[in-house]
Amino acid sequence: MDAISQLLCDVLDEVRPDASGAVADYIPQLASADPDRLGLAIIGPRAGISAVGDADAAFTIQSISKAMVFALAVDRWGPDAVMQKVDVEPSGEPFNAISLEKGTGRPANPLINAGALAVTSLIPGADIVERSATILAGFSAFAGRDLAVDEDVYRSESATGDRNRALGHLLRSYGIFTDEVDDVVETYFRQCSALVTVQDLCVMAGTLAFGGRNPLTGERVVSERSARDTVAVMSSCGMYDNSGEWLLRVGLPAKSGVAGGLIAISPSQFGVGVFSPRLNARGNTVRGQMVLEKLSERFGMHVFEAHEAVATPEVAIREDGDELRVILGGELSFSGVERVLTRLRDIDLPGRSIVIDAGGLAQVHPMAIDVLRRQVSDSDRRVRVEG
Ligand code: GLN
């Protein structure tokens, strides 16, 4: 077993004895889930999936689907159009609350049921079948393999879905959508019933973590902007009425589902999927949360942790007679400019022309080159940017 998998196994072993919480019991398929199942998978930018525990156990994606459908809607329509139908404010309320804006009926955010229904209504399709097919195709692109719907779970969700149906009617009464309520609500039940494993979940999370590109297949699934917006909403609203404390303590944008699945993201670093069916009172997986807390702690993954070397450009300086060539690689951020200037400080600049060779940069932040150019410019020096 490779070192990463070994480490993940250790984390699972630590949380395994905890038997607190209870499996969801609003439908028989979830009530009969094996409560001891525990699986974990992680994907980084290069080495593929590391998966341990019950890594092949299939379960329904449930509310984790809300993040992906939001990403698909933003990708299709842009953030402003989507935000006309749904706000992005943490509701501080349970997942199935009637959190609608006074007057407009706009749901508080896309990751509670009311908001998810509004977002599902934005997915194009003439009927339930077409819309569901578009969503499932989107999920499959996120996961990097063809996913299927658990028809039994779907039927149960539909048979017991009066509260969601009621939310649908409320939304329609406010004009949030004009479709038949069933077209939207049944599509939502189908999206919740997609079957996944933790391996699928980590690739889906990874696709969001790596700017909308699937780290397994290399396919662009959604735009960079859509991925960023989705991760932003996950960080403020992904854990329902526990989102604030989660962000403070764990600091990994995440989204949970009632079957016991949980995804989390470290931007540009990894996507993770975890599965453990016992839930706490807020409907989040107990051991799944513990696993992420431990990973965040051990890897220093809190999003707001300060990093010495974040976006550090590589700098090579070549002196060629009167010309000074500053060859940059990696990522030049706003703070990275400082590093380049520090390197230049010990070099005698007067009278020389400077070439900033930016061709090797993987990522340049707006303004960084401009700031650099201004810093090294003076009245009699020529500064040229290449690449
Ligand atoms: N299908 C469930 C519902 O809408 C999903 C909820 C969840 O995962 N929290 O009630």
Side-chain angles (χ1 to χ4, degrees):
M1 188 181 283
D2 66 276
I4 291 180
S5 303
Q6 188 57 57
L7 191 140
L8 299 182
C9 270
D10 292 348
V11 171
L12 286 195
D13 288 345
E14 287 169 40
V15 308
R16 192 168 276 115
D18 192 306
S20 57
V23 299
D25 58 3
Y26 70 97
I27 54 172
Q29 292 82 359
L30 292 182
S32 65
D34 177 354
D36 293 325
R37 282 280 160 93
L38 183 62
L40 172 61
I42 192 162
I43 188 163
R46 282 174 278 272
I49 299 174
S50 303
V52 297
D54 295 313
D56 296 317
F59 51 95
T60 47
I61 188 168
Q62 296 292 351
S63 283
I64 301 168
S65 68
K66 294 166 177 166
M68 260 57 75
V69 178
F70 177 73
L72 294 171
V74 172
D75 186 60
R76 175 77 165 74
W77 301 109
D80 295 336
V82 174
M83 281 181 67
Q84 282 178 5
K85 304 286 181 195
V86 61
D87 207 347
V88 288
E89 295 302 332
S91 66
E93 294 194 288
F95 69 94
N96 57 4
I98 308 171
S99 299
L100 308 181
E101 192 176 60
K102 279 205 175 52
T104 66
R106 212 163 52 125
N109 70 67
L111 302 185
I112 54 170
N113 290 14
L117 290 169
V119 176
T120 297
S121 79
L122 290 170
I123 301 297
D127 52 23
I128 302 168
V129 175
E130 257 187 36
R131 235 189 215 141
S132 299
T134 304
I135 290 175
L136 199 62
F139 288 179
S140 300
F142 263 105
R145 75 171 181 107
D146 284 341
L147 300 179
V149 167
D150 183 323
E151 296 293 341
D152 281 345
V153 171
Y154 161 64
R155 274 190 292 275
S156 288
E157 292 283 350
S158 179
T160 58
D162 284 329
R163 195 180 171 89
N164 286 316
R165 226 165 257 124
L167 283 170
H169 281 284
L170 270 176
L171 293 173
R172 189 165 187 263
S173 79
Y174 279 109
I176 297 291
F177 58 75
T178 52
D179 317 66
E180 291 302 321
V181 168
D182 267 356
D183 279 4
V184 175
V185 175
E186 298 296 324
T187 304
Y188 168 76
F189 293 143
R190 290 193 72 75
Q191 83 184 41
C192 286
S193 307
L195 280 168
V196 290
T197 66
V198 286
Q199 306 192 59
D200 297 321
L201 286 186
C202 85
V203 180
M204 293 173 122
T207 301
L208 293 172
F210 300 112
R213 194 183 286 285
N214 184 315
L216 205 59
T217 63
E219 184 191 348
R220 169 153 300 287
V221 180
V222 291
S223 65
E224 246 176 70
R225 176 63 200 260
S226 157
R228 192 188 80 180
D229 288 352
T230 306
V231 174
V233 173
M234 285 167 65
S235 63
S236 59
C237 310
M239 301 297 276
Y240 308 123
D241 41 343
N242 193 41
S243 297
E245 188 184 341
W246 177 262
L247 184 58
L248 183 108
R249 285 196 311 126
V250 184
L252 291 173
K255 182 72 202 91
S256 61
V258 78
L262 178 62
I263 60 169
I265 279 149
S266 180
S268 308
Q269 305 232 44
F270 65 63
V272 48
V274 50
F275 171 53
S276 171
R278 286 192 207 91
L279 311 177
N280 65 14
R282 281 155 158 165
N284 294 323
T285 164
V286 176
R287 293 188 300 184
Q289 293 197 135
M290 293 167 74
V291 165
L292 289 185
E293 281 182 44
K294 286 180 188 295
L295 285 178
S296 166
E297 207 175 274
R298 263 165 229 182
F299 287 113
M301 281 298 176
H302 195 293
V303 268
F304 297 130
E305 188 137 324
H307 293 283
E308 265 304 306
V310 74
T312 305
E314 296 139 27
V315 195
I317 295 172
R318 201 175 305 140
E319 303 188 47
D320 189 4
D322 281 350
E323 190 178 84
L324 202 68
R325 186 168 264 279
V326 183
I327 305 156
L328 302 174
E331 182 172 349
L332 184 66
S333 67
F334 189 81
S335 63
V337 170
E338 200 178 59
R339 179 185 166 99
V340 179
L341 293 175
T342 314
R343 289 286 316 275
L344 285 171
R345 207 161 43 205
D346 304 328
I347 295 170
D348 204 18
L349 292 179
R352 295 176 129 169
S353 63
I354 297 181
V355 178
I356 299 171
D357 183 346
L361 282 173
Q363 199 165 354
V364 194
H365 292 273
M367 300 301 294
I369 291 278
D370 200 40
V371 169
L372 188 57
R373 183 209 290 269
R374 281 172 202 234
Q375 277 286 332
V376 296
S377 289
D378 69 21
S379 49
D380 59 339
R381 181 182 308 135
R382 287 192 322 116
V383 180
R384 204 170 76 238
V385 179
E386 285 179 5

